[in-house]
């Protein structure tokens, strides 16, 4: 048996007597969502539709228009910049594809903007039947499986040609 008296209030909601607008909120930041900037990796709260933080937008305004990745732009020095999109709901397989894409970009030593696309409406714009998907310069190169780094490197090299 419990040694607490029958009328004990320690298990009850201490704010039950307050009107709803005065009770503490369960969601500390209503209207905001947690995001990770795909450029710099910053974890932050935002109410915007894009995951790119405002600092990265200010640094590269020509490359990012309304939160979307550039298709392919010529950088100073004549280098081409790739646009890579990982399509999927954000599962472990999608994360693996993103990691492989980053490894391939690092191995080639090229500049690329890697974006995670989790919005179903955006994913539907590509001819994809299963996720994860990989898009290089707005061309779907892989869908429904996890490619290896050699495949991704080949696709990036072909996109640069």
């Amino acid at each position: 048996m419990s040694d607490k008296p029958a009328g004990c209030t320690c298990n009850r909601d201490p704010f039950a007597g307050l009107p709803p607008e005065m009770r503490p909120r369960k969601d500390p930041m209503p209207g905001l969502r947690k995001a990770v900037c795909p450029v710099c990796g910053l974890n932050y709260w935002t109410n915007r539709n894009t995951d790119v933080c405002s600092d990265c937008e200010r640094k590269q305004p020509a490359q990012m228009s309304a939160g979307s990745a550039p298709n392919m732009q010529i950088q100073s020095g004549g280098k081409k910049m790739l646009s890579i999109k990982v399509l999927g709901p954000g599962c472990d397989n999608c994360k693996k594809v993103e990691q492989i894409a980053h490894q391939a970009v690092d191995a080639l030593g090229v500049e690329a903007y890697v974006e995670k696309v989790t919005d179903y409406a955006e994913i539907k714009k590509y001819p994809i039947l299963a996720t994860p998907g990989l898009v290089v310069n707005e061309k779907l190169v892989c869908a429904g499986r996890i490619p290896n780094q050699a495949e991704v490197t080949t696709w990036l090299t072909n996109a640069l040609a």
Side-chain angles (χ1 to χ4, degrees):
M1 288 268 317
S2 175
D3 49 328
K4 294 183 182 178
C8 181
T9 61
C10 61
N11 292 332
R12 294 186 191 152
D13 182 8
F15 304 105
L18 293 175
E21 62 272 4
M22 294 183 69
R23 292 182 195 160
R25 294 182 181 168
K26 291 180 182 173
D27 183 11
M29 297 186 188
L32 298 179
R33 63 180 179 83
K34 193 161 186 160
V36 178
C37 177
V39 178
C40 66
L42 175 70
N43 289 317
Y44 68 103
W45 290 90
T46 184
N47 62 350
R48 302 182 321 150
N49 293 333
T50 179
D51 286 346
V52 179
C53 69
S54 56
D55 289 339
C56 291
E57 265 185 343
R58 273 194 299 267
K59 289 177 188 173
Q60 302 172 342
Q63 296 174 7
M64 297 175 202
S65 60
S68 63
N71 290 338
M72 181 164 59
Q73 298 188 6
I74 304 296
Q75 299 294 313
S76 59
K79 288 185 176 181
K80 293 180 181 178
M81 181 167 171
L82 296 170
S83 167
I84 302 170
K85 294 182 182 180
V86 179
L87 310 177
C91 62
D92 289 338
N93 289 341
C94 298
K95 292 175 185 173
K96 287 178 190 174
V97 172
E98 182 187 17
Q99 181 183 17
I100 291 169
H102 280 291
Q103 290 171 354
V105 166
D106 292 341
L108 287 174
V110 297
E111 288 191 47
Y113 179 79
V114 180
E115 178 183 9
K116 287 190 280 189
V117 179
T118 57
D119 182 32
Y120 183 69
E122 286 291 317
I123 294 173
K124 271 184 17 181
K125 292 180 181 178
Y126 299 95
I128 183 171
L129 297 176
T131 60
L134 187 67
V135 176
V136 178
N137 290 344
E138 297 302 317
K139 178 183 176 189
L140 182 69
V141 293
C142 181
R145 66 183 183 90
I146 301 172
N148 60 37
Q149 186 177 344
E151 289 176 302
V152 176
T153 304
T154 302
W155 295 325
L156 296 181
T157 305
N158 291 343
L160 288 170

